[in-house]
PDB file of all heavy atoms in Angstrom:
ATOM      1  N   GLU A  46      34.121  28.600 -15.883  1.00 75.00           N
ATOM      2  CA  GLU A  46      32.933  28.632 -15.025  1.00 75.00           C
ATOM      3  C   GLU A  46      32.880  27.420 -14.107  1.00 75.00           C
ATOM      4  O   GLU A  46      32.467  27.518 -12.947  1.00 75.00           O
ATOM      5  CB  GLU A  46      31.669  28.704 -15.882  1.00 75.00           C
ATOM      6  CG  GLU A  46      31.470  30.009 -16.636  1.00 75.00           C
ATOM      7  CD  GLU A  46      32.385  30.132 -17.848  1.00 75.00           C
ATOM      8  OE1 GLU A  46      32.997  29.102 -18.222  1.00 75.00           O
ATOM      9  OE2 GLU A  46      32.498  31.249 -18.403  1.00 75.00           O
ATOM     10  N   THR A  47      33.287  26.267 -14.631  1.00 76.00           N
ATOM     11  CA  THR A  47      33.304  25.047 -13.798  1.00 76.00           C
ATOM     12  C   THR A  47      34.313  25.171 -12.668  1.00 76.00           C
ATOM     13  O   THR A  47      34.031  24.819 -11.514  1.00 76.00           O
ATOM     14  CB  THR A  47      33.642  23.824 -14.672  1.00 76.00           C
ATOM     15  OG1 THR A  47      32.675  23.696 -15.718  1.00 76.00           O
ATOM     16  CG2 THR A  47      33.642  22.556 -13.827  1.00 76.00           C
ATOM     17  N   VAL A  48      35.494  25.694 -12.990  1.00 73.00           N
ATOM     18  CA  VAL A  48      36.516  25.882 -11.946  1.00 73.00           C
ATOM     19  C   VAL A  48      36.035  26.882 -10.906  1.00 73.00           C
ATOM     20  O   VAL A  48      36.201  26.673  -9.699  1.00 73.00           O
ATOM     21  CB  VAL A  48      37.850  26.339 -12.582  1.00 73.00           C
ATOM     22  CG1 VAL A  48      38.869  26.638 -11.492  1.00 73.00           C
ATOM     23  CG2 VAL A  48      38.383  25.279 -13.530  1.00 73.00           C
ATOM     24  N   ALA A  49      35.417  27.961 -11.366  1.00 76.00           N
ATOM     25  CA  ALA A  49      34.902  28.965 -10.428  1.00 76.00           C
ATOM     26  C   ALA A  49      33.798  28.381  -9.556  1.00 76.00           C
ATOM     27  O   ALA A  49      33.712  28.689  -8.360  1.00 76.00           O
ATOM     28  CB  ALA A  49      34.391  30.182 -11.196  1.00 76.00           C
ATOM     29  N   ALA A  50      32.951  27.527 -10.135  1.00 77.00           N
ATOM     30  CA  ALA A  50      31.889  26.903  -9.350  1.00 77.00           C
ATOM     31  C   ALA A  50      32.456  25.952  -8.297  1.00 77.00           C
ATOM     32  O   ALA A  50      31.958  25.891  -7.157  1.00 77.00           O
ATOM     33  CB  ALA A  50      30.932  26.155 -10.282  1.00 77.00           C
ATOM     34  N   LEU A  51      33.509  25.216  -8.635  1.00 73.00           N
ATOM     35  CA  LEU A  51      34.137  24.309  -7.666  1.00 73.00           C
ATOM     36  C   LEU A  51      34.802  25.094  -6.539  1.00 73.00           C
ATOM     37  O   LEU A  51      34.722  24.710  -5.367  1.00 73.00           O
ATOM     38  CB  LEU A  51      35.165  23.424  -8.371  1.00 73.00           C
ATOM     39  CG  LEU A  51      34.598  22.331  -9.288  1.00 73.00           C
ATOM     40  CD1 LEU A  51      35.712  21.635 -10.062  1.00 73.00           C
ATOM     41  CD2 LEU A  51      33.825  21.302  -8.455  1.00 73.00           C
ATOM     42  N   ARG A  52      35.462  26.191  -6.893  1.00 75.00           N
ATOM     43  CA  ARG A  52      36.066  27.032  -5.861  1.00 75.00           C
ATOM     44  C   ARG A  52      35.006  27.598  -4.927  1.00 75.00           C
ATOM     45  O   ARG A  52      35.195  27.667  -3.708  1.00 75.00           O
ATOM     46  CB  ARG A  52      36.856  28.175  -6.509  1.00 75.00           C
ATOM     47  CG  ARG A  52      38.164  27.739  -7.140  1.00 75.00           C
ATOM     48  CD  ARG A  52      38.845  28.920  -7.829  1.00 75.00           C
ATOM     49  NE  ARG A  52      39.030  30.021  -6.909  1.00 75.00           N
ATOM     50  CZ  ARG A  52      40.071  30.155  -6.070  1.00 75.00           C
ATOM     51  NH1 ARG A  52      41.007  29.233  -6.058  1.00 75.00           N
ATOM     52  NH2 ARG A  52      40.151  31.191  -5.264  1.00 75.00           N
ATOM     53  N   ALA A  53      33.867  27.986  -5.480  1.00 75.00           N
ATOM     54  CA  ALA A  53      32.785  28.500  -4.642  1.00 75.00           C
ATOM     55  C   ALA A  53      32.168  27.396  -3.792  1.00 75.00           C
ATOM     56  O   ALA A  53      31.778  27.633  -2.645  1.00 75.00           O
ATOM     57  CB  ALA A  53      31.720  29.145  -5.521  1.00 75.00           C
ATOM     58  N   GLN A  54      32.101  26.179  -4.345  1.00 73.00           N
ATOM     59  CA  GLN A  54      31.531  25.057  -3.594  1.00 73.00           C
ATOM     60  C   GLN A  54      32.353  24.749  -2.349  1.00 73.00           C
ATOM     61  O   GLN A  54      31.802  24.450  -1.287  1.00 73.00           O
ATOM     62  CB  GLN A  54      31.448  23.827  -4.494  1.00 73.00           C
ATOM     63  CG  GLN A  54      30.932  22.573  -3.785  1.00 73.00           C
ATOM     64  CD  GLN A  54      30.947  21.362  -4.700  1.00 73.00           C
ATOM     65  OE1 GLN A  54      31.123  21.489  -5.923  1.00 73.00           O
ATOM     66  NE2 GLN A  54      30.757  20.191  -4.129  1.00 73.00           N
ATOM     67  N   TYR A  55      33.682  24.834  -2.503  1.00 72.00           N
ATOM     68  CA  TYR A  55      34.570  24.564  -1.370  1.00 72.00           C
ATOM     69  C   TYR A  55      34.983  25.834  -0.632  1.00 72.00           C
ATOM     70  O   TYR A  55      35.909  25.808   0.174  1.00 72.00           O
ATOM     71  CB  TYR A  55      35.814  23.813  -1.840  1.00 72.00           C
ATOM     72  CG  TYR A  55      35.512  22.413  -2.331  1.00 72.00           C
ATOM     73  CD1 TYR A  55      35.515  22.122  -3.690  1.00 72.00           C
ATOM     74  CD2 TYR A  55      35.218  21.397  -1.437  1.00 72.00           C
ATOM     75  CE1 TYR A  55      35.237  20.843  -4.149  1.00 72.00           C
ATOM     76  CE2 TYR A  55      34.931  20.114  -1.885  1.00 72.00           C
ATOM     77  CZ  TYR A  55      34.943  19.846  -3.234  1.00 72.00           C
ATOM     78  OH  TYR A  55      34.662  18.570  -3.680  1.00 72.00           O
ATOM     79  N   GLN A  56      34.338  26.946  -0.940  1.00 71.00           N
ATOM     80  CA  GLN A  56      34.509  28.221  -0.250  1.00 71.00           C
ATOM     81  C   GLN A  56      35.925  28.782  -0.360  1.00 71.00           C
ATOM     82  O   GLN A  56      36.373  29.529   0.517  1.00 71.00           O
ATOM     83  CB  GLN A  56      34.119  28.081   1.231  1.00 71.00           C
ATOM     84  CG  GLN A  56      32.665  27.692   1.429  1.00 71.00           C
ATOM     85  CD  GLN A  56      32.242  27.753   2.876  1.00 71.00           C
ATOM     86  OE1 GLN A  56      33.056  27.988   3.759  1.00 71.00           O
ATOM     87  NE2 GLN A  56      30.957  27.563   3.120  1.00 71.00           N
ATOM     88  N   LEU A  57      36.634  28.447  -1.416  1.00 72.00           N
ATOM     89  CA  LEU A  57      37.968  28.998  -1.615  1.00 72.00           C
ATOM     90  C   LEU A  57      37.930  30.432  -2.125  1.00 72.00           C
ATOM     91  O   LEU A  57      38.969  31.103  -2.185  1.00 72.00           O
ATOM     92  CB  LEU A  57      38.755  28.122  -2.603  1.00 72.00           C
ATOM     93  CG  LEU A  57      39.126  26.719  -2.110  1.00 72.00           C
ATOM     94  CD1 LEU A  57      39.910  25.979  -3.173  1.00 72.00           C
ATOM     95  CD2 LEU A  57      39.922  26.792  -0.809  1.00 72.00           C
ATOM     96  N   ASP A  58      36.733  30.890  -2.520  1.00 71.00           N
ATOM     97  CA  ASP A  58      36.609  32.273  -2.990  1.00 71.00           C
ATOM     98  C   ASP A  58      36.210  33.229  -1.875  1.00 71.00           C
ATOM     99  O   ASP A  58      36.046  34.429  -2.118  1.00 71.00           O
ATOM    100  CB  ASP A  58      35.566  32.342  -4.111  1.00 71.00           C
ATOM    101  CG  ASP A  58      34.196  31.838  -3.661  1.00 71.00           C
ATOM    102  OD1 ASP A  58      34.143  31.097  -2.656  1.00 71.00           O
ATOM    103  OD2 ASP A  58      33.189  32.188  -4.309  1.00 71.00           O
ATOM    104  N   ARG A  59      36.068  32.719  -0.662  1.00 75.00           N
ATOM    105  CA  ARG A  59      35.634  33.557   0.455  1.00 75.00           C
ATOM    106  C   ARG A  59      36.852  34.051   1.235  1.00 75.00           C
ATOM    107  O   ARG A  59      37.953  33.479   1.123  1.00 75.00           O
ATOM    108  CB  ARG A  59      34.691  32.772   1.368  1.00 75.00           C
ATOM    109  CG  ARG A  59      33.506  32.166   0.621  1.00 75.00           C
ATOM    110  CD  ARG A  59      32.501  31.551   1.543  1.00 75.00           C
ATOM    111  NE  ARG A  59      31.786  32.552   2.312  1.00 75.00           N
ATOM    112  CZ  ARG A  59      30.803  32.274   3.172  1.00 75.00           C
ATOM    113  NH1 ARG A  59      30.427  31.015   3.363  1.00 75.00           N
ATOM    114  NH2 ARG A  59      30.201  33.229   3.837  1.00 75.00           N
ATOM    115  N   PRO A  60      36.710  35.114   2.035  1.00 76.00           N
ATOM    116  CA  PRO A  60      37.851  35.635   2.804  1.00 76.00           C
ATOM    117  C   PRO A  60      38.399  34.582   3.776  1.00 76.00           C
ATOM    118  O   PRO A  60      37.682  33.681   4.228  1.00 76.00           O
ATOM    119  CB  PRO A  60      37.249  36.824   3.559  1.00 76.00           C
ATOM    120  CG  PRO A  60      36.053  37.216   2.775  1.00 76.00           C
ATOM    121  CD  PRO A  60      35.510  35.959   2.174  1.00 76.00           C
TER     122      PRO A  60
END
Side-chain angles (χ1 to χ4, degrees):
E46 292 75 12
T47 301
V48 176
L51 288 173
R52 286 177 55 85
Q54 177 183 348
Y55 293 105
Q56 298 188 354
L57 292 181
D58 58 340
R59 306 187 70 177

